[in-house]
Amino acid sequence: MASFAMRAAIALIRFGGKPMRDPQKYLAVRQNRTRSEPPPMPKKLAARCTVDERKVEGQRVLTLTPHEGRSRWTLIYLHGGAYTNEMRPAHWTWIAALMEATGARIILPLYARAPEHDHRPAHAMMAALYDQLLQNIDPATIVIGGDSSGAGLALGAMMTARDAGRPMPAQMLLFAPWLDITCANPLGAAIEARDPMLGLEAARTCGQWWAGDADPTLPHLSPAFGTALGLPPIHIYQGSLDMVAPDAVAFAETGRAAGANVTLHLYEGAPHVFVAAVFTREAKEVLAHIKGLLA
């Protein structure tokens, strides 16, 4: 079981406590904000790679290519944040750790977020970006991953690509994926009081903003309502002290029962996106597993 020290460290480092504890304040900040930017890339990471920037469907896309130890892999990574937040400093730490473990070129779409935008621009960008990559590299060398809402976006985008007959990537790596933006699972509600980070009221409103006027249970918005059949092997890294965990568990169980290749790595007592604390034993174990997958 994950230690209390680990849970506290992640909560403090990644979010500074439970950001959704006061949902009205949380939502008001996002509704009334001015233009926001992601935190600057750490100098240490910038020194380790070449950074290129372009726009796809009007949205920024960064490509980080390591100077040394470059492998054959290209990893598209989508950051989390309830579809409303920019990347956080801990995302850079986690991305640097993934680059170190895999040698992958990492592509970071800085997708349009709610409430200023609904899901449509981000999904249009992901479709265009994936098609561009398929024109230039073998899909067998592509991995797609993300954390929290970013993992939900990654999975939804690949469901759309599958349904359109696009070739599939080699692997999917999902860290605490948010799979139902309606947060309808009563098992998640039962965990909420013990979840050190997330809250249902704010999450549901963020999900409504993201869906816009679309049905929020459409699989590309809430992959919990879709199927994993026809998708590449999926690895889900999930903590149990996380209100979105029950949907991840159910998705993995349903996928396996249907014949899909879905593996759930469940860490008892670990909170939402526990891998963000890269110094912990649990995060190091996940990185070692991913390194083996992409050897």
Side-chain angles (χ1 to χ4, degrees), residues 15-295:
F15 290 115
K18 185 164 183 171
M20 295 182 175
R21 188 176 300 280
D22 184 342
Q24 298 310 313
K25 180 179 178 181
Y26 179 89
L27 297 169
V29 167
R30 281 142 190 82
Q31 284 183 301
N32 299 317
R33 68 187 171 196
T34 56
R35 179 180 174 85
S36 61
E37 294 289 340
M41 183 184 300
K43 292 181 180 179
K44 186 175 180 180
L45 174 58
R48 290 171 49 195
C49 59
T50 300
V51 181
D52 296 305
E53 180 174 336
R54 59 192 170 111
K55 287 194 174 182
V56 178
E57 295 291 313
Q59 295 156 74
R60 295 174 64 200
V61 176
L62 305 181
T63 299
L64 283 58
T65 305
H67 295 313
E68 299 179 359
R70 168 83 165 92
S71 69
R72 69 183 185 276
W73 298 106
T74 293
L75 169 60
I76 305 172
Y77 191 88
L78 291 150
H79 71 84
Y83 292 118
T84 63
N85 298 323
E86 286 281 12
M87 288 176 57
R88 296 182 181 272
H91 281 116
W92 285 125
T93 303
W94 176 237
I95 288 162
L98 285 171
M99 180 181 289
E100 178 70 22
T102 66
R105 175 179 63 162
I106 298 181
I107 297 177
L108 299 174
L110 303 181
Y111 55 90
R113 296 164 293 117
E116 294 86 354
H117 305 275
D118 66 12
H119 65 281
R120 291 176 176 87
H123 276 275
M125 179 272 297
M126 281 298 297
L129 174 62
Y130 191 58
D131 280 349
Q132 289 174 12
L133 287 176
L134 291 176
Q135 293 174 14
N136 296 298
I137 61 176
D138 184 350
T141 66
I142 299 175
V143 179
I144 297 185
D147 65 274
S148 193
S149 56
L153 175 55
L155 186 53
M158 286 303 98
M159 287 180 171
T160 299
R162 173 202 60 197
D163 295 347
R166 301 289 191 272
M168 288 288 95
Q171 302 272 353
M172 295 199 72
L173 307 175
L174 307 180
F175 308 97
W178 187 19
L179 299 180
D180 175 10
I181 60 174
T182 73
C183 300
N185 194 326
L187 296 177
I191 295 172
E192 181 196 16
R194 297 181 290 117
D195 187 321
M197 298 181 187
L198 304 183
L200 283 170
E201 182 181 344
R204 284 173 175 151
T205 299
C206 291
Q208 291 167 4
W209 287 342
W210 186 246
D213 60 4
D215 179 353
T217 66
L218 289 170
H220 71 289
L221 301 180
S222 292
F225 297 97
T227 177
L229 285 174
L231 293 175
I234 299 169
H235 286 270
I236 299 174
Y237 303 89
Q238 179 67 61
S240 68
L241 199 65
D242 180 349
M243 72 179 200
V244 305
D247 288 324
V249 173
F251 184 81
E253 291 176 347
T254 302
R256 288 195 299 266
N261 190 341
V262 186
T263 304
L264 175 69
H265 309 264
L266 185 64
Y267 285 76
E268 290 295 330
H272 189 61
V273 197
F274 66 90
V275 294
V278 298
F279 55 85
T280 62
R281 173 183 58 80
E282 292 82 358
K284 291 176 181 178
E285 184 177 308
V286 170
L287 285 166
H289 185 262
I290 293 170
K291 183 176 182 178
L293 282 177
L294 304 185

